[in-house]
Amino acid sequence: MSGADTPISVGYVLKKFPVLSETFILNEILALERRGVTIHIFSLERPNDPRFHEALPRLKARVSYVPDVQELGALLRHNLRARRTFGVQYLRTWCYALSQGKPSLLWRLLQSTYVAHEARRLKVSHLHAHFATRPASVACLASQISGVP
């Protein structure tokens, strides 16, 4: 726990969950849950393998699937809401993303607005991504927008 009565809540930003080949992530989450940490999973993709780790039924964490290209309207609505909710932080993050000259970062920024809103709504105290890939970019941008470390 952080502080006397403040529970820790971690938002895991993952490329795809659950994935059989990444059982170490599931095991880590289960261990944190046993220690009283509340976990929320933000998955950038839906799983496409019907095989799952045998420990998956023990998972308490809720999984949110971040809207993808087929749900562009939903992402655009989250973006408009982020503009109103987060104001200057949202605009600074857009400026940063544009300054990088990477179109893929703009897509990640759109996805990050969903994570930013949900992290705030769920009172997530920390965002976490395992690999320095798309999930880390989304987590970093969501952090810049929402202020959630």
Side-chain angles (χ1 to χ4, degrees), residues 19-119:
V19 177
L20 186 60
S21 64
E22 294 178 357
T23 56
F24 71 95
I25 293 174
L26 176 61
N27 290 335
E28 178 180 303
I29 291 170
L30 291 171
L32 287 170
E33 287 181 337
R34 284 191 300 273
R35 295 192 64 136
V37 177
T38 300
I39 304 292
H40 189 89
I41 299 167
F42 299 99
S43 181
L44 302 180
E45 297 176 18
R46 294 183 180 276
N48 53 4
D49 185 346
R51 299 170 299 147
F52 299 114
H53 192 278
E54 62 189 31
L56 189 61
R58 293 198 312 261
L59 183 71
K60 295 175 192 166
R62 187 170 146 235
V63 180
S64 293
Y65 293 98
V66 177
D68 61 15
V69 72
Q70 289 84 15
E71 301 166 290
L72 185 58
L75 280 178
L76 293 175
R77 284 190 297 280
H78 280 288
N79 227 357
L80 291 173
R81 197 168 85 196
R83 168 67 178 97
R84 290 190 307 271
T85 304
F86 299 112
V88 173
Q89 291 168 265
Y90 168 85
L91 292 174
R92 283 186 185 144
T93 306
W94 260 102
C95 289
Y96 165 78
L98 288 169
S99 74
Q100 299 306 301
K102 297 177 182 176
S104 63
L105 195 58
L106 297 178
W107 173 249
R108 291 171 186 170
L109 179 59
L110 287 175
Q111 289 184 307
S112 73
T113 60
Y114 173 86
V115 174
H117 277 290
E118 287 299 288

